[in-house]
Amino acid sequence: MSRIALIAGVTGIVGNNLAHQLLANGWHVHGLARRASNAIDGVNFIAADLLDPTSLRAAVSHLKPSHIFFATWLRQPTEAENIRINSAMVRNLLEAVAPAGSVRHVALVTGLKHYLGPFEAYGKGKLPATPFREEQPRLEIENFYYAQEDEVFAAADRDDFNWTIHRPHTIIGYALGNAMNMGVTLAVYANICRETGRPFLFPGSAAQWNSLTDMTDARLLARHLEWAATIPVAFNHAFNVVNGDVFRWNWMWPRLADWFGIEPAPFSGQGTPLEQQLAGTEGIWHKIAKSHNLIESNIDQLVSAWHTDADLGRPIEVVTDMSKSRKLGFLDYQPTDDSFFDLFTRLRHDRIIP
């Protein structure tokens, strides 16, 4: 059967890596983004606004995708607005492609805020025990991830397609201008520390410094998305998706420092958030970019300090169970330190960092 993918959010960390994964395996790939782009050879880019149902229908009316991969969101000032906006984007796209009757599978990428709660109540209140497992019930709190899931479930009942939900932890991957991008953020921060002599301070909490955690490589997530979309045993399930290793930041932080040729500063017991450390560094980065002939001198196009602070500042252990995927046959594994190093190497090769 033909495999025609429509990726919503194709220019982001998840969508970019997913597009390359599917293209390598012979898929026809349409990429949906708010602004037209030709950044990925082989992708048919479609510029459309997921919040404008009329123009969205016009943009996708000629497509007959077999698989929808939804990997985008828009951050809003309140969770009520997150719910309204982000659920509407899912609903609008699924309604726009429904008339063609071609969709067999919809994959939705959310994350561990399913277990941790939204940013307004992140890591607070009564949370499920770690490691997080897919069968744990929803928190008794509003969460736009739940609203997005409900849109997928409702459309599946209406249009008779199967679905999967994918819940990665913090994603490491190549993408610029992304709202949730720890790897690039830490690379920029490390280079500022190296160039200026500032201490390379862990910006998070003692709980994150000392507790076990895990992360998700965008390449592994892409393989998981393809696997789940094509293996019937995975249909109509939610899955955690992480690399398969666990680590403590008190082990990882010195390894990251060593890659950049700097010394990690001793951890005092409470980190200084990156939003504070990187405030006012626009000029510093501009000089670094100019002196090293980098392609992006605007630090705001590279870092997402707020999101990295949210992840590294959590007051609890965050570790994820992958047994469900393993039992069904997905056995891929990715060492997380290598995920960072692979990303840093590519950023340097592409002249994003010196």
Side-chain angles (χ1 to χ4, degrees):
M1 299 179 69
S2 61
R3 295 182 177 180
I4 303 172
L6 175 58
I7 303 174
V10 71
T11 57
I13 294 178
V14 177
N16 182 296
N17 284 271
L18 176 60
H20 283 98
Q21 171 72 22
L22 299 182
L23 288 168
N25 289 328
W27 290 62
H28 185 82
V29 179
H30 302 291
L32 190 67
R34 281 176 290 174
R35 290 176 292 277
S37 172
N38 295 312
I40 306 174
D41 290 340
V43 171
N44 174 36
F45 275 89
I46 301 163
D49 185 349
L50 290 168
L51 292 172
D52 184 346
T54 301
S55 66
L56 179 60
R57 283 193 299 270
V60 304
S61 62
H62 63 291
L63 307 179
K64 292 187 177 181
S66 59
H67 294 71
I68 304 290
F69 297 93
F70 199 94
T72 187
W73 72 295
L74 289 174
R75 186 188 183 197
Q76 304 300 312
T78 67
E79 191 60 18
E81 278 297 290
N82 273 328
I83 290 169
R84 185 180 70 84
I85 293 296
N86 290 287
S87 63
M89 293 196 300
V90 175
R91 180 172 62 253
N92 291 342
L93 180 58
L94 297 183
E95 289 179 349
V97 298
S102 60
V103 176
R104 303 196 303 269
H105 181 85
V106 171
L108 172 67
V109 180
T110 60
L112 294 197
K113 288 191 292 296
H114 184 93
Y115 309 107
L116 289 163
F119 287 119
E120 288 183 2
Y122 197 46
K124 301 175 182 177
K126 185 177 181 180
L127 300 176
T130 56
F132 296 138
R133 301 178 188 275
E134 296 91 342
E135 65 269 19
Q136 290 168 325
R138 291 179 174 182
L139 302 176
E140 295 181 359
I141 188 171
E142 289 188 330
N143 189 324
F144 84 83
Y145 283 175
Y146 305 161
Q148 287 184 312
E149 287 185 354
D150 290 343
E151 294 292 346
V152 171
F153 301 154
D157 289 342
R158 179 191 69 218
D159 299 328
D160 194 28
F161 56 72
N162 57 68
W163 52 266
T164 49
I165 310 296
H166 303 256
R167 300 170 185 160
H169 196 168
T170 302
I171 299 172
I172 308 172
Y174 187 90
L176 306 180
N178 191 274
M180 301 166 70
N181 199 337
M182 180 187 287
V184 179
T185 299
L186 292 180
V188 170
Y189 170 57
N191 275 282
I192 288 175
C193 290
R194 186 177 63 190
E195 295 283 333
T196 63
R198 295 184 180 195
F200 187 57
L201 297 166
F202 180 70
S205 67
Q208 291 303 299
W209 182 252
N210 294 310
S211 298
L212 290 172
T213 192
D214 48 29
M215 295 183 73
T216 305
D217 191 301
R219 299 167 298 183
L220 182 141
L221 176 56
R223 297 194 296 272
H224 191 275
L225 282 159
E226 184 183 25
W227 167 80
T230 55
I231 303 297
V233 71
F235 294 168
N236 303 327
H237 285 283
F239 294 101
N240 297 328
V241 191
V242 289
N243 285 344
D245 63 345
V246 294
F247 64 91
R248 304 178 200 276
W249 276 104
N250 60 26
W251 175 83
M252 183 68 78
W253 197 251
R255 291 181 66 77
L256 301 188
D258 182 68
W259 196 94
F260 290 103
I262 57 179
E263 289 293 324
F267 182 61
S268 67
Q270 181 60 48
T272 303
L274 285 178
E275 279 200 299
Q276 180 178 333
Q277 293 193 59
L278 292 175
T281 59
E282 296 86 356
I284 295 172
W285 183 255
H286 183 83
K287 290 180 181 178
I288 292 172
K290 184 177 180 180
S291 64
H292 292 278
N293 194 30
L294 305 182
I295 66 172
E296 181 55 72
S297 61
N298 183 356
I299 194 172
D300 292 333
Q301 292 298 311
L302 299 175
V303 305
S304 55
W306 70 272
H307 184 262
T308 300
D309 285 340
D311 275 4
L312 297 183
R314 292 177 297 210
I316 58 171
E317 176 184 81
V318 179
V319 66
T320 314
D321 182 74
M322 274 281 284
S323 297
K324 190 176 186 179
S325 290
R326 306 296 188 224
K327 289 177 181 178
L328 296 181
F330 185 83
L331 305 178
D332 286 26
Y333 167 82
Q334 169 65 45
T336 300
D337 52 345
D338 286 346
S339 294
F340 277 115
F341 302 155
D342 289 350
L343 173 62
F344 298 157
T345 299
R346 182 175 177 187
L347 292 173
R348 181 170 286 173
H349 177 270
D350 291 355
R351 300 194 352 262
I352 307 299
I353 62 173

